[in-house]
Amino acid sequence: MRQITCIDMTLKESASMRDSALTFKEKLEIARGLDRLKVDVIELPPIVNGKADELSNRTIAGMVSQTLSATVNAADGNVEQTWESIRQAAHPQLNIAAPVSPVQMEYAAHRKAPAMLECIAEQVKKARFYCEDVEFTAEDATRAEWEFLADAINTAIENGASKITLCDTAGIFLPEEFGEFIDDIKASLPALEKVELYVQVSDAMDLGLACAVSAIREGATGIKCTATACGYPTLEQIAKFLQVKGTDMGYTMNLRTTELNRMVSQLAWMLKPSEESPVGSGSISLADTSGVTLDRNDEIGDVVKVIRQMGYDLSDEDNARVYEAFRRVVAKKHFVGTRELDAIVASSSMQVPSTYRIENYVINSGNVITATANILLDKDGEKMRGVGVGDGPIDAAFVAIEQIIGHHYELDDFQIQTVTEGRDAMGSALVKLRADGRVYSGSGISTDIIGASIRAYISALNKIVFDQN
């Protein structure tokens, strides 16, 4: 049986699936789900939000056991930054992506053909310096000039690429045409025999899977897909094809099909588009508060309404504290979104005595060991120790705390951001726990982001304990 590589682009293509960016927690949940399904490669998007993207990449790298591929746009050249964010992964990979059609080179990368070839050579070579596993993705390959496409592929291979992806970005080919395209490329470029050949095919005409199968029949070894429909073949479509025709055609995959339907349903719910509504419309729901912004003209009633839609049930006194803090913030930055409002609620409402205090903690994590956490807490003078094992250092720390308190609370949200710049930058963490239908938020700050996360969890936990006593 011939093994077909499954490359999942859900995290990379998530921006096109819904109106708002994924939260830190959602990224981790998606990565964890894909890892459980045993997709061969999990693709990450290019770093565009600086430290926030680096942090999410680094956390995912510590969680997954499958190959983790981080994309670098050849024109941007942030290879080193991207590599540092995934280097702790069990199987890290860098993917240098470059447009190769005249229209895409001109309007997307602002480069002519000779300059693009130089860029491909430089970025692939730099990626190979840091990483043994380097992929080159030829975007819009089906509309490229044949001679330039051949030059681009040869250049990438000569400079260290061991995987080549050819994209039908516009979805202009029929299955037989795409098969012929792959056959002609392989016949014309002997160097392709030394590397793995993947395909990324648009499903614009609902023929994405058929085109990918045609490419596989002509010698391609991998298919790029997504967990839910967003213009490419889906995991479920590929699994169904293999179930029906895989044995007859001699193809197989590592994909865990028994867990596929449940996992894809969860991811589809997480990635569903949100409907944004203005504050004053009276139709805001919990699912669409991510698009809400408040400004200096909003009164306390408007702010409290959004807070309730976010899942908080605060007293009148706490609502007043939050509104006062909101007014101070909005005076400086003109508008406040729900992420800022989360932080305001965490720092301003329900300030309670500290039932639990952090004494010390020890975290062990790496790309060749399972993350563990050993935490010592003080509860009213009693020292309590817990040891946890998790998918990453933060997950392990939360498990250790749950062991100490003997209870599991639903983690409603988890956010991390930097507060200051530089090597000794302060990190801020926000944790939202759900207990008895109510949401309790806690915040923590430290130069150690794991420490900030532990402090945020304890802050939210103390509010729950105070409210339930």
Side-chain angles (χ1 to χ4, degrees), residues 144-298:
E145 294 178 354
W146 188 264
E147 186 175 327
F148 177 78
L149 177 59
D151 288 342
I153 294 172
N154 281 328
T155 297
I157 295 174
E158 289 168 2
N159 284 278
S162 58
K163 297 175 175 66
I164 300 293
T165 297
L166 300 178
C167 304
D168 184 14
T169 306
I172 61 173
F173 275 5
L174 296 174
E176 59 270 22
E177 292 175 324
F178 195 62
E180 291 174 3
F181 171 77
I182 296 298
D183 184 47
D184 291 344
I185 283 284
K186 286 179 65 65
S188 303
L189 300 177
L192 283 174
E193 297 297 327
K194 307 174 186 177
V195 301
E196 296 180 44
L197 180 61
Y198 301 156
V199 292
Q200 179 178 325
V201 189
S202 168
D203 201 30
M205 296 191 295
D206 296 326
L207 294 173
L209 179 61
C211 288
V213 171
S214 291
I216 293 296
R217 297 181 71 170
E218 298 299 335
T221 58
I223 303 174
K224 296 205 172 183
C225 59
T226 53
T228 58
C230 66
Y232 295 97
T234 66
L235 284 171
E236 288 184 306
Q237 288 176 329
I238 293 172
K240 185 175 181 180
F241 160 72
L242 290 173
Q243 181 182 5
V244 176
K245 297 293 294 182
T247 302
D248 294 340
M249 300 179 72
Y251 302 150
T252 185
M253 267 187 180
N254 291 324
L255 202 60
R256 283 184 176 173
T257 55
T258 54
E259 300 181 29
L260 184 61
N261 291 338
R262 177 183 61 83
M263 191 64 68
V264 168
S265 296
Q266 292 176 352
L267 297 181
W269 178 85
M270 189 180 300
L271 294 167
K272 65 182 178 181
S274 59
E275 297 178 3
E276 297 182 5
S277 303
V279 173
S281 68
S283 60
I284 301 173
S285 67
L286 185 60
D288 59 28
T289 54
S290 59
V292 173
T293 57
L294 299 163
D295 59 35
R296 64 182 62 191
N297 296 317
D298 288 300

